[in-house]
Structures are given as C-alpha cells and as structure tokens.
Amino acid sequence: MSTALKIGVGCLVAVVIAVALAAGGGFYWWKNYGQGMVEGMSKTVEEGQGYGRGADEWKCVNESVARYKREPGIGGAFKGRIFLKSCLETSGGAAGFCDGVPTQTEFTRSAEWQREKCEQAAIKDEFCRQLFEEVQNYCADSASQNKQRPAVADEEATPTPTPRRGRAPR
C-alpha cells in the first residue's frame, strides 16, 4: 500500500471518528440540557409578552437592562434579548422611541450608539450591546414604525438622556 493511500485512509478514519464523537456529544448535550434550555426560553418569551402588554417600549428596554444587570454575561444577554424582543412586540408605543436609532448597516454609528447606550445603563461588558442591537432590529421593522405613539414622552419611562460630549460647563 502506498504512503499516500495510507494517509488518505487515516484521514478518512479520523473524520469518521470526529463525526461520531460530535454526534454523540450533541445527543448527550441535548438529552441533558437542551429541553431545559428550550423551556427556559419559552418562559422568557411568555414573561416578555406579559410585561409588554402593560408597558411601553422604554419600559421594556429598562426592564431588560435591569434583568441583564441581575444576570450578566452571554447567557443573560441572550435571555435579555429574547425578553426584550417579545416585550417590544406586545408593548405600547412610546414617543421618540426609535428617534436617532441607527440602522445596523451604519456600522460605525451603530457600534458607537450601542456603546453609548450601554454606558448610559452603567454596563461595561461586551455582551450588553446585544440588547441594543435588538432595539435596532425592532426599530427597523415596519410593524414598529406603524405603532401608535403619544406626542409627548412619559418622563418616568424614558431612560437617562445621552451624556454630552466634550468638557462640562464651568
């Protein structure tokens, strides 16, 4: 048997073993963790929808931020984003909610806007931006643009204003 054939057979055997291990590992993970994860996400969607029925868009964002602060990190960001999406879908409109929200195709402006929103929320990790990315998705959706909004913002529901740039006045 030639050396090239031996190498080819060895590589084929390695690929078959890797695929079998990945399939087995995937089955094990799903059996032990997958169902619980799906049930948890379903519960998060229901909580978001329920909260949104009695809230406006700003309150949905504020609640998502509060939840994220209680459970930070990638898992908290994932759950916070799901909560926020389902909350926004059932919420009432808020004056000025989508004003100034950049589209995701405005890459530099979008990244800066997300960073500023996380700063305003006093969150300093890299996963926070996912919450505000969900706001961008929502504001880009035509259904959100057709939502009735009051002419004046409810000051209690509106998050803290954007911090000013430059030096503070003396």
Side-chain angles (χ1 to χ4, degrees):
M1 193 185 285
S2 73
T3 305
L5 184 58
K6 288 179 185 177
I7 291 172
V9 169
C11 288
L12 182 61
V13 168
V15 167
V16 169
I17 290 172
V19 167
L21 287 174
F27 176 76
Y28 174 81
W29 181 88
W30 179 255
K31 185 177 179 197
N32 291 301
Y33 305 104
Q35 267 187 297
M37 184 180 233
V38 169
E39 289 169 5
M41 291 304 136
S42 295
K43 181 182 175 199
T44 302
V45 167
E46 289 173 12
E47 289 173 0
Q49 290 172 338
Y51 189 90
R53 285 187 196 98
D56 69 11
E57 295 155 323
W58 288 121
K59 288 180 183 175
C60 287
V61 170
N62 292 340
E63 178 63 18
S64 294
V65 166
R67 286 169 174 252
Y68 181 74
K69 285 180 175 180
R70 289 190 301 268
E71 188 181 342
I74 194 164
F78 188 64
K79 285 170 72 174
R81 189 169 181 162
I82 289 172
F83 176 88
L84 181 57
K85 179 177 175 48
S86 56
C87 185
L88 288 171
E89 288 171 353
T90 58
S91 70
F97 183 74
C98 290
D99 293 355
V101 176
T103 64
Q104 288 187 325
T105 57
E106 299 174 82
F107 302 112
T108 304
R109 187 166 167 248
S110 176
E112 180 66 19
W113 180 83
Q114 291 171 6
R115 187 192 60 71
E116 284 180 2
K117 292 297 176 187
C118 289
E119 248 178 44
Q120 289 171 11
I123 302 173
K124 296 183 190 233
D125 70 30
E126 66 273 15
F127 302 113
C128 166
R129 292 175 49 173
Q130 291 184 26
L131 295 176
F132 296 102
E133 184 178 350
E134 192 58 49
V135 171
Q136 289 178 281
N137 289 340
Y138 173 77
C139 288
D141 185 30
S142 61
S144 70
Q145 294 171 9
N146 295 330
K147 223 177 229 191
Q148 286 196 338
R149 290 178 164 62
V152 178
D154 176 3
E155 299 221 4
E156 179 184 316
T158 306
T160 29
T162 305
R164 294 180 182 215
R165 297 189 179 267
R167 293 190 310 183
R170 295 181 189 201

